[in-house]
Amino acid sequence: FQIAFFKRWWEEQDTEMHDKVRELVKNGQLEFINGGYCMNDEANAHYTATIDQMSVGLQFLQKEFGPYAAPRIAWQIDPFGHSSAQAGLSAQMGLEGLFFARMHYQDYERRAQARELEFNWVAEGRNIFAGKFFRQSQYSAPPGFCFDIHCSDPPLVPNSKSPEYNLVERINVLITYLSNQAAAYRSGHIMLTMGEDFNFEDAHMYFKNLDILMKHVNADTANNGFKMIYSTPSRYMDAVLSNIKNLSNKTDDLFPYADGEHSYWTGYFTSRPTLKGYIRSMNSFLQACKHIELMAPATSYTSELLRLAMGVAQHHDAVTGTSKQHVADDYAERLAIGQTQCENLINTGIKHLTGSVNDLYSCRLAANESTCHITGDTTKSIFTFIVYNPRSIAKDIYLRIPMSSSAYRLVNPTDPTAFVSYIPTHYTSYQINPKALPIEAIVHLKVPGMGFTTFQLKKDFGIDYRIVMKSIPVVKTENIRIESESLIVYFDGESGSLKQVVDKKSQKTLRISAKFMNYRSNVGDKLDRQTSGAYIFRPVNGTVAQDIDRPILKNYLPGEFVTEVWQSFGDWVNLVYRVYVNKPYIEVEWTVGPIPMDHGREVILRYSTDLDSGKTFYTDSNGREMLRRVLDYQPTWSLNQTEPVAGNYYPVNSRISIKDMESHFTVLTDRSQGGSSLSSGQVELMLHRRMYKDDFKGVGEPLNETQFGHGLITRGRHWLFYSDLDSYGDHRDIGLDLFYQPVVSVGGDVEVGNIPRSGIQNTNKDLNVVTFERFDETSLIVRLENIRSKSEGGKMISADLKKIFGAYFSENFKELGLAGDRPIEKVVKDLKEHTKYDSGSVIVLKPLQIRTFILLK
């Protein structure tokens, strides 16, 4: 059940209808399930976005209906695969059961035969009852029993004198179906789903037929063995659990999903990469917007539009990239409207907080385009920047600001160590936007956790383009050597290709290369008519990726704080390596497109190393736990691999790792992508897709994104992290730095009266403030997270709410379930055990645990 639709209907109703619905809910006659603003995707949605969208819906129900409406069931019946993080988060929200429709066809066949379609899912240390619907990929009525006006199935005719009389024949068909379904379950109870997408438009006709069906089945229970009743998912779950005490346990996830030998739903892990990147960047931006909405005096601007747009964007046909193009455009438009509202809120809020009399503006520095209407104004002699860090610990950041000229020096920085350098805008930026500015200022500075810093760039006519970082000629027979505080990195002097990385701390060396390749999209063959499309990834021949072109070194730009190496791979693929002097990773910025339309292509970036990782690799579950993957293997059934590439692809929401006995290599991503390790020491990530055939799975049009009359150009980043295993868990800290991007307000010669402080005090990099926002007129809601898992060296963390939140803290605080819609007593079975390490304002977080609190103002 998706609250976005119900909320729209609810707001159109009068008081009389509101009272009727509230009475039905209070009496238990109307039950809400799931309760999220949407039914979110489980491959591409980041856990913070899932928590946010579920909170919007569940808190709406709490506000309108009180505790009577609190759902007990997670209803994830349409996503294309299911994550362990979704199961774990659902349990932490107080949901007791999770029902779904899609499962790998081989897993389904095994479970149906073993009568294990219902099981106990153990995820993130929590248990949740899980139920797979009968029939693969279906949540509709049994064949022949759809009574909606859109269906062509015959209505029931119980009058034996009618020439259309069909009651006995129809009931016999149904009893056969029910017998087959009952054979796949253990409890003696089965759920018969009736309905589908867009059904019950004539509810009276549908229920009239159901009444007839139930009456006559129940009249012959002694012979047919079935009794039919109207019920709800929670009542069904209670009935099942009252009869079964020994459900099997599941600890992994349900990826990848396939509904046929050559139909692996792994393409949508990457489809519409620019929309995926936009949604991820808006996730971080929304957190900053909510922070400042709480810190600053109220204005006419709110975070509501972006909050709701982000809620819808997590839908299983939105962030997945599996909608029609005009629908994807609508998702992006809603986000842009919400973004503009939040930009106004942030700029107005910061103006109040700083005591500025001048207006502030936003430049979308994280966008694909190197442009800014403020800094591109050549008539301005000074620009003021106020930077906000939405992460709860201090960050050392590198801002890249498009400029019309390098003739500006840095003045009046809050951070005395701040430094600016200039670099030419990458030539691909002009392909994306012909009006891109020619120069980028790289400003290195430190920003307090959930706090602000400022600086100005002032025109100095004694400075000219001579200070722009210049390309250094390289002797082609020599390697390029770049050394930072943590790494020594070697590149090939002729091609610019990455060759070797030395971790200075452990003195371990990794041989590595990066190569752009593409799979040719299948348009159907002798084996199967299945094509690649928005949902499906199916390469021609199943196995072979082709090199796109020979790499060429385009630029080598050494600098004091960052050094860049530019590469091209033909006309439409480009790569920039960045080595920062004080960062433990290598930044890889990729730009892909327009993809030629000679045939369908699926573009990957493959990293090859000398790590002896064998067949094992690790991917994250929605940014949470790292799950072990093994090539051509599933832990709960004997896999018959029929698609050796697509069948080994998994969702990479934020990172993918390989390891040997001593070291690891981890790639962190700025958006969800499909990825795998098809050979020992390799990691590949799919960046972009374009094809001219639909895959017959529901979109109804090819995945062929364009811009300005040409194929879409998309740009993104990977952070490459290599170290010994002792430092492996540091990927958590690095990943949060990639997720929480700074927010920048820009003005002219702005008088900054004071530098506001957030009042948040946190120095523990393993402690993350997930949520800091207004809850209602008298309170705020906060969520704290221990970011490390136990397997990554995570330990229990003590967090003093009073010290962390300072003036925002209230002794009158209380803990809620994860979505903030119900008391913690309704979520945990043993409250004493849950709080046994807490003392006063000090709470304790176990590894990877998130806890939610209301602080009264």
Side-chain angles (χ1 to χ4, degrees), residues 299-465:
T299 69
S300 59
Y301 305 112
T302 76
S303 63
E304 185 72 4
L305 287 179
L306 184 56
R307 193 188 304 244
L308 299 183
M310 277 294 293
V312 171
Q314 308 316 309
H315 187 272
H316 56 273
D317 276 321
V319 69
T320 53
T322 55
S323 66
K324 292 183 182 294
Q325 183 63 58
H326 74 274
V327 179
D329 293 342
D330 183 66
Y331 289 134
E333 183 179 16
R334 288 168 183 259
L335 288 170
I337 292 170
Q339 180 181 7
T340 300
Q341 181 84 182
C342 265
E343 286 173 342
N344 291 333
L345 184 155
I346 288 169
N347 293 328
T348 304
I350 291 177
K351 180 179 177 181
H352 281 296
L353 291 170
T354 58
S356 171
V357 296
N358 306 91
D359 289 333
L360 297 169
Y361 305 92
S362 294
C363 284
R364 299 178 179 181
L365 303 181
N368 265 355
E369 308 173 8
S370 294
T371 185
C372 174
H373 67 288
I374 304 296
T375 57
D377 187 346
T378 57
T379 67
K380 300 289 186 183
S381 61
I382 190 167
F383 302 108
T384 302
F385 300 85
I386 303 174
V387 184
Y388 176 71
N389 168 23
R391 190 175 173 190
S392 58
I393 66 166
K395 281 184 64 171
D396 183 284
I397 66 172
Y398 291 85
L399 281 181
R400 301 180 74 91
I401 304 168
M403 301 290 291
S404 60
S405 163
S406 63
Y408 290 83
R409 59 187 175 91
L410 188 144
V411 297
N412 301 321
T414 309
D415 172 19
T417 66
F419 182 85
V420 65
S421 57
Y422 292 88
I423 195 167
T425 295
H426 196 273
Y427 50 85
T428 57
S429 296
Y430 299 104
Q431 295 176 269
I432 298 171
N433 182 358
K435 296 181 180 180
L437 297 177
I439 299 293
E440 287 187 348
I442 304 175
V443 182
H444 174 223
L445 70 164
K446 296 180 176 64
V447 191
M450 291 171 69
F452 303 82
T453 194
T454 69
F455 64 91
Q456 292 178 314
L457 293 177
K458 184 176 183 180
K459 185 170 286 188
D460 188 330
F461 294 100
I463 301 176
D464 59 27
Y465 282 93

Side-chain angles (χ1 to χ4, degrees), residues 684-699:
E684 69 177 59
L685 288 155
M686 188 177 290
L687 310 180
H688 198 1
R689 319 176 69 224
R690 190 183 188 192
M691 49 214 62
Y692 59 90
K693 292 283 188 180
D694 181 43
D695 58 14
F696 319 115
K697 296 300 183 182
V699 178

Side-chain angles (χ1 to χ4, degrees), residues 33 70 116 144 238 260 289 336 472 510 704 846:
I33 52 177
E116 292 184 351
D238 290 341
C289 182
I472 303 296
L510 179 73
N704 179 21
K846 298 174 184 176

Side-chain angles (χ1 to χ4, degrees), residues 706-745:
T706 59
Q707 63 178 57
F708 312 125
H710 303 284
L712 178 72
I713 300 174
T714 187
R715 176 182 288 168
R717 291 181 296 164
H718 292 159
W719 285 3
L720 313 184
F721 175 44
Y722 167 66
S723 74
D724 61 13
L725 291 181
D726 289 342
S727 300
Y728 171 64
D730 291 350
H731 73 82
R732 295 285 179 186
D733 176 43
I734 295 170
L736 287 182
D737 271 352
L738 181 54
F739 173 74
Y740 288 109
Q741 291 299 302
V743 174
V744 183
S745 293

Side-chain angles (χ1 to χ4, degrees), residues 60-180:
F60 169 83
L61 292 179
Q62 164 64 23
K63 177 183 176 182
E64 296 294 338
F65 302 100
Y68 306 105
R72 297 175 58 205
I73 298 296
W75 193 251
Q76 290 291 109
I77 63 172
D78 209 15
F80 330 118
H82 301 276
S83 72
S84 59
Q86 181 78 33
L89 294 173
S90 296
Q92 293 172 65
M93 291 174 189
L95 303 177
E96 303 165 45
L98 188 158
F99 290 94
F100 61 96
R102 302 182 192 271
M103 172 185 278
H104 193 292
Y105 71 98
Q106 293 176 24
D107 192 14
Y108 174 78
E109 291 167 2
R110 182 199 70 79
R111 285 184 175 274
Q113 186 173 11
R115 307 180 81 183
E116 292 184 351
L117 291 174
E118 293 168 335
F119 51 88
N120 178 50
W121 202 337
V122 183
E124 300 194 354
R126 303 297 295 270
N127 297 308
I128 189 168
F129 171 81
K132 163 72 181 78
F133 291 163
F134 187 58
R135 292 189 297 152
Q136 180 63 324
S137 309
Q138 295 292 324
Y139 47 84
S140 55
F145 292 88
C146 177
F147 303 119
D148 194 74
I149 58 176
H150 296 295
C151 300
S152 57
D153 298 342
L156 294 175
V157 182
N159 185 350
S160 59
K161 296 180 180 180
S162 170
E164 284 84 28
Y165 175 69
N166 63 359
L167 183 65
V168 174
E169 181 270 337
R170 290 284 79 202
I171 287 182
N172 288 339
V173 170
L174 181 66
I175 294 301
T176 300
Y177 179 89
L178 295 177
S179 298
N180 292 333

Side-chain angles (χ1 to χ4, degrees), residues 35 87 163 364 371 491 526 665 792 823:
R364 299 178 179 181
T371 185
F491 297 87
K526 293 180 180 179
F665 171 66
E792 298 163 348

